[in-house]
Amino acid sequence: MNRKLPAVLLSAAMAFVLAACGSGSGGSGGSGGDDGKITLGFSQVGSESGWREANTKSIKESAQTAGIDLKFSDAQQKQENQIATIRSYIQQKVDVIAFSPVVVTGWDAVLKEAQAAKIPVVLTDRAVDSDPSLYVSFLGSDFVKEGEAIGDWTLNEYKDATAPVNIVQLEGTVGSAPAIDRKKGFESKIASNPNLKVIASQSGDFTRADGKEVMTAILKANPKIDLLFAHNDDMGIGAIQAIEEAGKKPGVDIKIVTIDAVHDGMQALADGKINFIAECSPLLGDQLMDIVKKIKAGQPVEKRIITEETTFTQQQASEALPNRKY
């Protein structure tokens, strides 16, 4: 994470808190419960990908349907913004705080502040390494399992390989749970075949632009690449542009596997430019609102709630696309 001068950082954080205090979707400002509604303060990572945009839409629409007063803030992929926003929600005395943490570490202090204020916290999409007693529930995917699904496809695809298979990995945001866990799941699987070799692994920060930029550089340094594993669809799509500009055919000259299954990724899979996708559903809104209502009613909530997901081949993507919600 980039570190700025203390004065600049403090000024930016204060400005962000003021912005967060004024931001909302579906309700008036002020303390939670003033109008009888449940007030949920939600801090989103950012809008770095199609997945995140679908996730944000799901949360906003589900809150409106559930009659929950949602205070929403976009952290622009900066942890300091999320911490400032969470503190503003504590000051506003919201009923529940939920957030998708940009990175795994560094949350202890603000989570303890929420606990001291008796405001329950729910993690969505991504995990933290804090004491589990500091949050009520974690709703999201099993990122290790997603990486393992990609690894299983790779093992099967290259089971008859007698020569080295050169693999490039475009990782997500450094220090984020999905980047750590997807890499762990994938590499644990392919380790059983010594012919499968990761020759380059670099962060593309989950964005299409960075995926293209990083892949362009990797292509120049590595003339022979057999397989690209991108930790999300957007980086994979950016890499497709780089591969095409290098005069190669994505999905053929370089096979591509990704995670998410958002619309653009599924279209690329149906078109044969991506070879396989493991799903990571962004539609967490309804489940989150259900958790929030249970917490407010004093009902028990599961500590870990894993979303149901699948995988897609080219044919399955073609069949699913017409009715795809994201």
Side-chain angles (χ1 to χ4, degrees):
M1 182 181 298
N2 292 329
R3 298 295 180 187
K4 300 176 182 176
L5 292 174
V8 175
L9 181 59
L10 178 60
S11 175
M14 289 177 67
F16 194 85
V17 170
L18 291 172
C21 288
S23 68
S25 175
S28 58
S31 299
D34 285 352
D35 57 1
K37 280 187 174 183
I38 299 171
T39 302
L40 169 65
F42 187 88
S43 175
Q44 181 62 285
V45 170
S47 54
E48 76 282 1
S49 63
W51 191 100
R52 191 64 56 191
E53 291 169 4
N55 180 241
T56 290
K57 182 180 179 182
S58 172
I59 290 165
K60 289 182 175 180
E61 290 181 350
S62 295
Q64 185 173 18
T65 300
I68 288 175
D69 181 2
L70 176 67
K71 296 184 181 298
F72 184 93
S73 184
D74 181 333
Q76 300 169 349
Q77 291 184 274
K78 296 179 181 178
Q79 184 177 33
E80 58 264 35
N81 288 347
Q82 287 199 296
I83 291 172
T85 298
I86 292 169
R87 285 181 171 144
S88 79
Y89 291 153
I90 294 170
Q91 292 170 356
Q92 293 174 71
K93 297 183 170 72
V94 300
D95 294 304
V96 180
I97 292 171
F99 73 109
S100 179
V102 63
V103 292
V104 172
T105 62
W107 302 103
D108 289 6
V110 74
L111 289 177
K112 287 176 181 176
E113 290 170 27
Q115 188 175 69
K118 294 182 166 46
I119 300 176
V121 174
V122 179
L123 306 178
T124 70
D125 174 39
R126 300 181 179 184
V128 298
D129 66 357
S130 300
D131 187 325
S133 67
L134 295 175
Y135 57 89
V136 176
S137 183
F138 168 32
L139 165 67
S141 304
D142 185 334
F143 298 133
V144 173
K145 186 177 179 181
E146 292 169 354
E148 289 174 344
I150 296 295
D152 284 335
W153 181 92
T154 304
L155 285 173
N156 183 65
E157 182 70 14
Y158 296 102
K159 63 181 182 293
D160 298 325
T162 56
V165 175
N166 291 341
I167 301 171
V168 166
Q169 187 170 201
L170 285 180
E171 301 178 31
T173 302
V174 175
S176 68
I180 294 168
D181 290 350
R182 287 169 181 169
K183 177 176 179 156
K184 177 182 177 182
F186 175 69
E187 293 185 352
S188 70
K189 285 288 185 177
I190 66 169
S192 64
N193 185 341
N195 284 322
L196 301 176
K197 300 183 182 298
V198 177
I199 60 169
S201 191
Q202 189 173 335
S203 173
D205 209 23
F206 284 128
T207 70
R208 198 171 296 195
D210 284 0
K212 179 181 179 181
E213 181 180 347
V214 173
M215 191 63 188
T216 297
I218 291 175
L219 282 163
K220 290 177 181 177
N222 300 276
K224 184 184 182 298
I225 299 171
D226 300 298
L227 175 70
L228 165 67
F229 168 33
H231 283 193
N232 77 340
D233 291 344
D234 277 81
M235 289 190 297
I237 292 166
I240 286 172
Q241 296 170 4
I243 291 167
E244 289 177 331
E245 288 177 9
K248 296 178 182 291
K249 190 172 182 180
V252 179
D253 297 329
I254 299 176
K255 292 182 179 178
I256 301 173
V257 287
T258 65
I259 294 173
D260 272 355
V262 297
H263 184 274
D264 287 357
M266 292 285 278
Q267 187 62 61
L269 177 57
D271 293 342
K273 294 184 177 183
I274 291 176
N275 302 86
F276 182 78
I277 296 179
E279 184 182 39
C280 179
S281 176
L283 306 181
L284 306 181
D286 288 349
Q287 285 178 287
L288 176 59
M289 300 313 146
D290 183 56
I291 292 168
V292 169
K293 286 183 175 181
K294 284 182 177 179
I295 290 172
K296 185 63 176 175
Q299 298 174 7
V301 176
E302 291 182 42
K303 194 72 176 182
R304 179 69 170 103
I305 302 171
I306 298 175
T307 50
E308 292 185 8
E309 292 157 346
T310 186
T311 59
F312 292 94
T313 61
Q314 182 177 7
Q315 181 178 340
Q316 290 167 334
S318 299
E319 293 170 353
L321 266 171
N323 301 312
R324 197 74 173 156
K325 291 183 179 179
Y326 57 94

